[in-house]
Amino acid sequence: MQHGLWQSVLGEIELSVSHAAFTTWFKNTELIEQSDSSVTIAVPNIFAKRQFEVKFNSQIKAILEKNGVSPDEINYTVRTTGKRTTTRETTAPPEQSKTRAEELIAPRPTPSASTNNSGLNPRYSFANFIVGSSNDLAFTACQAVASTPGTKYNPLFLYGGVGLGKTHLMQAVGNEIIKKQPEARVLYISSETFVKEFLESIRFKKKGFSDKYRNVDVLIVDDMQFIAGKEKTQEEFFHTFNALHQSNKQIIISSDKPPKSIPTLTERLRSRFEWGMSIDIQMPDFETRCAIVETKASLSGVELGRDTIEYLANNIKTNVRELEGALNQLLAYAEMRGVAPDISTAEGLIGNVRHTRPQHVTAKQIIDKTARHFQIDTKEICSAKRDKHIVVPRQIAMYLLRSELHLSFPKIASELGRKDHTTAIHSVEKIEKAIKLDFLVREQVAEIREKLYA
């Protein structure tokens, strides 16, 4: 009865949310208790619990009522048993007890022999990847590849800046494939490793180089931009690519830029990289950064205050690795000094690195950087002109004022010399949609952001 009811609820929810959102939040949930006055739903982790309580509760209650169940309250509980594990839970036997500080600075566990053979790190999984608007398309595509390798999105090409999650997602695909098909031959390498081994095979006349890369079921290559300019290596990778693709073997590649923007990449390689699907991973927005901080802290057994979470998310905007590093530094410092990891402690620690970036970004800086990026005068972007070469930069500036500074629409309109704030609403909504559909707009917004926080 409970199972059937919950499946009906999930069926309706799946039609109303994105595939990535459904997979992330709803797929691993279960209705475990039902009475006349309440229902209890099991969710996979603390962050999911918060999301359900704050974001999805009213939607679930409405759908339950449509299915004949009208509880006075809905309770969410974290599932205590299941498939999800974390690094810290597996680094020490149950009888040992480590402080969080010791866990944070302890060496990582040595991967198993099978993991060494594949080059994959078992820590990277879909379960511990935080999905947001900046990466939901890449997340969904990677899950599709993991379900049917070699048949969908082949090759899959992920691109974006440093520390945005490309390596995590690629390795999550490999780990998921091995989990479902233990006999699958998966190989993860960096392009530098490929270059190094290719040169050694020529210099020392080593045999077996081609066989190593062409006899796998899934080849995952990170940082492909470093192969650019190396003609002989590109030729070898071209033949490797063809051999795998013709055998319906999955190829996954990452780079810091799309194939067409990689300099000195041969045209035949570029065209092959664009055969499948190319997806960019953008800098995480404020909500995603908050989610990352909260989830990583909960995995360490710490519940941070909302002000502390927002402080970290507001001050480290461009790099997930740097954000996680700041969090680890905060938790380790608090543990070793015996103080609470609160906002005052965070301010003291983050203040040590903030001199390397602007103390804050102002509305004027956003408007000036946007105008300079499009090679127009700041006065033009704030004028009443409706020329296309001015309108689009003005809309992007409005979007950035909203996304980076969280300004109100009337304030945004005022900053750009407009009296009617509905123009700001329309502009922000238009760029939000364009970012999802138009690569050029995504790239322009990303480049301006990088200049703001460089």
Side-chain angles (χ1 to χ4, degrees):
M1 175 67 178
Q2 291 176 358
H3 178 74
L5 170 63
W6 190 239
Q7 289 305 307
S8 298
V9 173
L10 292 179
E12 291 198 41
I13 289 173
E14 191 170 9
L15 297 175
S16 62
V17 301
S18 69
H19 177 72
F22 181 82
T23 302
T24 304
W25 305 120
F26 293 94
K27 189 174 181 180
N28 295 316
T29 60
E30 183 183 1
L31 197 161
I32 58 174
E33 190 176 320
Q34 177 186 352
S35 67
D36 293 336
S37 60
S38 68
V39 298
T40 302
I41 298 167
V43 298
N45 53 57
I46 293 173
F47 182 62
K49 181 175 183 288
R50 179 181 174 85
Q51 286 290 102
F52 274 87
E53 290 171 343
V54 174
K55 188 173 181 179
F56 300 120
N57 189 68
S58 58
Q59 183 181 10
I60 290 172
K61 190 171 184 178
I63 296 175
L64 283 171
E65 289 174 353
K66 283 176 62 178
N67 284 271
V69 178
S70 302
D72 295 330
E73 63 176 353
I74 303 175
N75 301 310
Y76 301 97
T77 181
V78 177
R79 191 190 305 274
T80 55
T81 59
K83 295 179 180 179
R84 183 169 179 169
T85 59
T86 68
T87 304
R88 292 179 180 85
E89 290 171 343
T90 57
T91 53
E95 66 273 9
Q96 294 180 348
S97 175
K98 285 187 177 182
T99 66
R100 285 190 297 277
E102 288 172 332
E103 288 177 327
L104 288 167
I105 61 177
R108 300 204 181 278
T110 303
S112 63
S114 60
T115 306
N116 278 328
N117 292 336
S118 68
L120 296 169
N121 187 326
R123 290 189 307 115
Y124 293 123
S125 69
F126 290 129
N128 58 23
F129 185 83
I130 306 301
V131 184
S133 59
S134 60
N135 56 33
D136 56 352
L137 180 59
F139 180 81
T140 303
C142 285
Q143 286 194 314
V145 168
S147 298
T148 55
T151 61
K152 200 173 217 181
Y153 311 140
N154 193 22
L156 177 63
F157 194 104
L158 304 178
Y159 63 93
V162 175
L164 300 184
K166 301 186 300 296
T167 298
H168 187 143
L169 272 181
M170 292 167 61
Q171 295 214 30
V173 174
N175 284 321
E176 187 70 14
I177 290 172
I178 289 176
K179 180 180 174 183
K180 292 179 179 178
Q181 306 173 36
E183 75 287 352
R185 295 164 297 178
V186 178
L187 179 60
Y188 166 85
I189 58 158
S190 67
S191 64
E192 289 179 289
T193 299
F194 186 89
V195 172
K196 179 184 175 184
E197 292 187 2
F198 174 64
L199 293 177
E200 286 181 350
S201 70
I202 296 175
R203 183 179 178 186
F204 301 110
K205 295 182 171 54
K206 289 184 178 179
K207 296 182 179 180
F209 174 81
S210 297
D211 291 340
K212 174 182 176 179
Y213 290 101
R214 299 181 193 182
N215 292 329
V216 297
D217 299 307
V218 182
L219 178 62
I220 305 172
V221 185
D222 213 346
D223 293 323
M224 181 54 72
Q225 69 270 14
F226 294 123
I227 204 173
K230 301 174 175 64
E231 293 183 9
K232 291 293 184 181
T233 307
Q234 287 190 55
E235 182 178 350
E236 177 62 28
F237 190 81
F238 170 79
H239 294 304
T240 298
F241 183 101
N242 282 346
L244 292 173
H245 197 273
Q246 289 170 9
S247 302
N248 294 321
K249 305 302 183 183
Q250 182 65 49
I251 304 163
I252 307 173
I253 299 167
S254 81
S255 174
D256 62 352
K257 50 179 70 73
K260 66 179 181 181
S261 299
I262 300 177
T264 64
L265 185 67
T266 60
E267 188 58 40
R268 59 181 183 176
L269 263 186
R270 181 178 288 109
S271 65
R272 277 158 177 75
F273 290 167
E274 294 174 342
W275 269 353
M277 189 173 192
S278 297
I279 306 174
D280 67 325
I281 300 179
Q282 304 162 45
M283 289 184 288
D285 56 22
F286 175 72
E287 288 76 15
T288 305
R289 295 196 300 273
C290 286
I292 290 168
V293 172
E294 187 168 9
T295 303
K296 298 297 181 183
S298 70
L299 293 176
S300 300
V302 177
E303 189 170 344
L304 293 178
R306 192 66 193 173
D307 56 349
T308 308
I309 292 169
E310 292 185 357
Y311 178 81
L312 290 171
N314 265 321
N315 283 279
I316 301 176
K317 300 185 177 184
T318 59
N319 191 311
V320 176
R321 288 178 195 153
E322 191 177 352
L323 184 61
E324 290 186 22
L327 173 64
N328 286 343
Q329 184 182 5
L330 172 63
L331 297 184
Y333 178 89
E335 180 70 34
M336 289 186 285
R337 296 298 176 91
V339 298
D342 54 19
I343 187 168
S344 61
T345 308
E347 285 174 343
L349 290 172
I350 303 303
N352 294 332
V353 298
R354 286 184 69 189
H355 68 274
T356 63
R357 58 167 54 83
Q359 290 293 312
H360 60 275
V361 173
T362 65
K364 184 178 185 305
Q365 286 175 321
I366 288 177
I367 295 169
D368 288 347
K369 292 281 187 184
T370 305
R372 198 173 305 153
H373 178 82
F374 288 100
Q375 298 180 339
I376 60 176
D377 194 277
T378 301
K379 292 180 181 178
E380 288 185 297
I381 211 171
C382 295
S383 71
K385 291 182 179 179
R386 300 291 301 166
D387 305 66
K388 186 175 180 180
H389 76 283
I390 297 173
V391 170
V392 173
R394 183 185 297 138
Q395 290 173 335
I396 289 177
M398 289 182 174
Y399 168 80
L400 290 169
L401 288 171
R402 181 70 173 175
S403 64
E404 301 307 302
L405 300 184
H406 310 290
L407 297 185
S408 66
F409 289 115
K411 178 65 173 172
I412 292 171
S414 173
E415 291 289 347
L416 284 145
R418 333 301 287 179
K419 294 180 181 179
D420 187 1
H421 72 276
T422 57
T423 303
I425 296 174
H426 169 74
S427 297
V428 171
E429 290 178 348
K430 183 173 181 179
I431 298 302
E432 283 176 345
K433 291 178 182 177
I435 283 173
K436 295 179 180 178
L437 302 173
D438 190 328
F439 161 74
L440 180 60
V441 174
R442 285 199 301 272
E443 195 171 49
Q444 288 169 338
V445 170
E447 287 176 358
I448 295 169
R449 274 198 179 117
E450 285 180 8
K451 290 173 183 176
L452 282 170
Y453 300 111

